[in-house]
Amino acid sequence: MTRTVLIVDDESSIRDMIAIALEMADFQVLEADNAQRALALAVDERPDMILLDWMMPGISGVELARRLKREETTREIPVILLTAKGEEDNKVQGLEAGADDYITKPFSPRELIARMRAVLRRAAPASQGVIEVDGLSINTESQRISIDNQPIDMGPTEYRLLAFFMSHQERAYSRAQLLDQVWGASVYVEERTVDVHIRRLRKALGERHDYLIQTVRGTGYRFSRQRSRA
Amino acid sequence: MTRTVLIVDDESSIRDMIAIALEMADFQVLEADNAQRALALAVDERPDMILLDWMMPGISGVELARRLKREETTREIPVILLTAKGEEDNKVQGLEAGADDYITKPFSPRELIARMRAVLRRAAPASQGVIEVDGLSINTESQRISIDNQPIDMGPTEYRLLAFFMSHQERAYSRAQLLDQVWGASVYVEERTVDVHIRRLRKALGERHDYLIQTVRGTGYRFSRQRSRA
DNA sequence: CAGTGACGTGACAGTCTCGTGACATGCCCC
DNA sequence: GGGGCATGTCACGAGACTGTCACGTCACTG
């Protein structure tokens, strides 16, 4: 699954450099040049991880980290702090603020990505293992979907689509976003293709559960246990 | 059976790298960045194996190895020393200190895992006993497979493949993972070779049991007693 | 209430994956 | 040296998936 990363740094050159590296590693990238915008994006887009510059005019990285950890909706998102080289104090402060790791500039893309993966893995238990909604459960280890413990079959794409939805419930996604997240950022297919796979997924879920995949007219789709309308 | 490994190194980047590799190989990973913590974790968590950096500030790896071998509770835990490139003395000292093997940096993940397996195999008297699923049973002591107490034949590779699957049920593995786990990390063969052995294994199991070896399209294979789809 | 745009759906051809039989090689034991 | 066994590759074919299209249906607008 493609992960979304929010990069927060006031220098655009650094943001761009990181963004390029991450995109090559098949991450989806969001950028913010200040804490305000970062906070908004974090709440709005729910990235899988945030890279945060330590030193920024206005609200500093640490302060932002602290706020992120206070917000209900962003608390679970892992944060990596980017700091100028080696003041030990930084580490302490940063980790106290709730950052999950920190890395000192200059760093190589490889190192950054290695750290990110490590952090994501640690954070994974949230999305790993089993998610269950109304008898429908997905087990990411066995890569299997079951309804009332009865395994059901679907194609790989439908599986990934459902996996994405179940770990991002209650939020509407556009076709373009779904293509990025489920198909991968570097694939080009028609947006309507999403519709077809949605259709296949609904069919696989059966009448009792297809209500979970909801159409958001004019926008895209959403996974939600709340039936809309009576 | 998942094994727990304690990684002791003062550089977090190296720990992370190793941790990633080991987790992909389905090890459970513990980390310590100094000897003190390592000792505590070793006593506390009783890992199945310890990877120890030779050079560390404070108490060195060798010294730690020595202490581990003195402690009653940690004596049996195999230790592999990680050393910088090739001073012969290290080897001697290390082995004298009680290390079970040593490996020089830089090393590939595959190499490391191969060594670890070798050490674990030596250390662990083929225990484990018997696993049984739907009349199919494997006895790791006698290295025998039987169906309803009728011994059945298969090649050594099929045996190892089945043994691996039966101790890691309900989880999907890629061909690459299976090659690492069953063939060994330092062997290079085509991924499709796995398919052929899966085929042979299924054949050996016969129609009544070949459903246990399931294809996960686009990914690899899985051992599960749950049949898909009704 | 007709018009317009968005979405649902069935069909289809191309592509990719996996199952399978055949085969060459290497090894061990007679 | 000659079987016999185990293994790794290959090539081929069946079947599973996928992306598009075309057309029908439905929701909203004015």
Side-chain angles (χ1 to χ4, degrees):
Chain A
M1 192 213 313
T2 307
R3 310 289 202 145
T4 303
V5 181
L6 171 59
I7 305 173
V8 189
D9 196 319
D10 56 309
E11 288 183 62
S12 69
S13 59
I14 292 182
R15 284 204 313 276
D16 290 345
M17 206 188 57
I18 298 176
I20 291 171
L22 294 189
E23 277 168 9
M24 287 201 306
D26 203 31
F27 285 94
Q28 176 82 16
V29 175
L30 299 170
E31 302 184 28
D33 64 357
N34 67 66
Q36 238 72 43
R37 203 205 265 333
L39 207 50
L41 270 175
V43 172
D44 227 40
E45 299 286 336
R46 301 253 203 123
D48 296 291
M49 152 163 289
I50 300 176
L51 300 183
L52 204 49
D53 187 33
W54 171 269
M55 289 290 296
M56 283 192 302
I59 303 174
S60 77
V62 209
E63 179 52 29
L64 178 54
R66 220 169 254 132
R67 295 198 189 178
L68 286 168
K69 291 301 173 186
R70 271 205 300 265
E71 277 293 328
E72 178 64 36
T73 50
T74 57
R75 182 172 307 152
E76 300 295 324
I77 304 174
V79 171
I80 292 183
L81 278 179
L82 312 177
T83 79
K85 68 161 164 272
E87 295 154 19
E88 266 307 300
D89 283 352
N90 287 1
K91 179 170 188 176
V92 178
Q93 276 186 52
L95 295 181
E96 272 179 359
D100 295 84
D101 199 355
Y102 87 119
I103 183 170
T104 56
K105 302 180 196 177
F107 48 79
S108 72
R110 315 194 96 211
E111 188 185 352
L112 175 62
I113 290 169
R115 292 286 191 98
M116 289 175 55
R117 287 204 208 286
V119 169
L120 282 174
R121 215 172 332 103
R122 243 177 284 147
S127 67
Q128 238 190 29
V130 180
I131 304 177
E132 206 245 288
V133 175
D134 188 16
L136 171 69
S137 71
I138 180 170
N139 183 322
T140 53
E141 285 203 351
S142 61
Q143 290 203 25
R144 195 170 235 182
I145 310 287
S146 337
I147 292 181
D148 297 333
N149 287 323
Q150 185 58 225
I152 62 174
D153 282 333
M154 61 182 69
T157 305
E158 284 71 42
Y159 172 85
R160 272 176 288 133
L161 189 56
L162 181 58
F164 174 76
F165 271 134
M166 291 189 75
S167 44
H168 297 81
Q169 303 182 27
E170 306 295 340
R171 185 186 190 296
Y173 290 92
S174 70
R175 292 172 174 72
Q177 287 175 314
L178 291 171
L179 285 176
D180 274 355
Q181 299 283 337
V182 177
W183 274 253
S186 47
V187 183
Y188 181 76
V189 292
E190 291 294 320
E191 293 205 339
R192 287 301 306 276
T193 298
V194 175
D195 297 32
V196 178
H197 284 277
I198 289 282
R199 150 76 175 153
R200 288 167 182 158
L201 178 52
R202 281 172 171 159
K203 203 171 206 172
L205 292 183
E207 285 188 6
R208 217 184 91 231
H209 290 90
D210 62 1
Y211 75 91
L212 289 164
I213 308 291
Q214 302 171 356
T215 303
V216 184
R217 202 176 171 78
T219 303
Y221 299 93
R222 168 183 55 207
F223 183 103
S224 166
R225 87 173 71 208
Q226 287 206 277
R227 294 173 186 269
S228 42
R229 275 305 156 75
Chain B
M1 183 207 333
T2 305
R3 310 288 202 145
T4 304
V5 181
L6 170 61
I7 304 173
V8 190
D9 196 317
D10 56 308
E11 287 183 64
S12 70
S13 58
I14 292 180
R15 284 204 313 276
D16 289 344
M17 206 191 59
I18 297 175
I20 292 170
L22 294 189
E23 279 169 10
M24 287 198 311
D26 202 31
F27 285 94
Q28 176 84 17
V29 174
L30 300 171
E31 302 185 27
D33 64 356
N34 66 65
Q36 237 73 44
R37 205 207 263 333
L39 209 49
L41 270 175
V43 172
D44 232 37
E45 300 284 336
R46 301 263 200 116
D48 296 292
M49 152 162 290
I50 300 175
L51 299 182
L52 205 49
D53 187 35
W54 172 271
M55 288 290 295
M56 283 192 301
I59 302 175
S60 76
V62 209
E63 178 52 28
L64 177 54
R66 222 169 256 131
R67 294 198 191 181
L68 286 167
K69 290 301 173 185
R70 270 207 300 267
E71 278 293 328
E72 178 62 34
T73 50
T74 56
R75 183 175 304 154
E76 299 296 322
I77 304 173
V79 171
I80 293 182
L81 276 179
L82 312 177
T83 78
K85 66 164 165 273
E87 296 156 16
E88 269 305 299
D89 284 352
N90 287 1
K91 179 170 186 176
V92 178
Q93 277 186 52
L95 297 183
E96 273 179 0
D100 295 81
D101 199 353
Y102 88 114
I103 184 170
T104 57
K105 304 178 195 174
F107 49 81
S108 73
R110 305 194 117 211
E111 188 185 349
L112 174 63
I113 291 169
R115 294 287 192 95
M116 289 174 56
R117 288 233 157 72
V119 170
L120 282 174
R121 219 174 309 122
R122 243 180 286 147
S127 60
Q128 177 72 288
V130 180
I131 304 177
E132 204 248 292
V133 175
D134 188 16
L136 170 71
S137 71
I138 181 171
N139 184 322
T140 52
E141 290 187 16
S142 61
Q143 303 238 136
R144 263 233 161 93
I145 311 286
S146 19
I147 293 181
D148 298 334
N149 291 321
Q150 270 303 314
I152 62 175
D153 279 335
M154 60 181 70
T157 305
E158 284 71 41
Y159 171 84
R160 271 177 291 133
L161 189 55
L162 181 58
F164 174 75
F165 271 134
M166 291 189 75
S167 43
H168 297 82
Q169 303 182 28
E170 304 296 338
R171 176 172 167 172
Y173 290 93
S174 68
R175 293 173 174 74
Q177 287 175 313
L178 291 171
L179 285 176
D180 273 357
Q181 299 282 341
V182 177
W183 274 252
S186 47
V187 181
Y188 294 95
V189 292
E190 292 294 319
E191 293 205 338
R192 288 300 304 272
T193 297
V194 174
D195 297 33
V196 177
H197 285 277
I198 289 281
R199 149 79 174 148
R200 289 167 183 159
L201 178 52
R202 281 172 172 159
K203 206 170 204 171
L205 292 182
E207 284 190 8
R208 218 185 89 233
H209 290 89
D210 62 1
Y211 76 91
L212 290 164
I213 309 291
Q214 302 171 355
T215 303
V216 184
R217 200 153 238 274
T219 302
Y221 299 94
R222 167 181 56 207
F223 183 103
S224 167
R225 86 174 76 209
Q226 285 204 283
R227 295 171 187 266
S228 277
R229 246 310 142 76

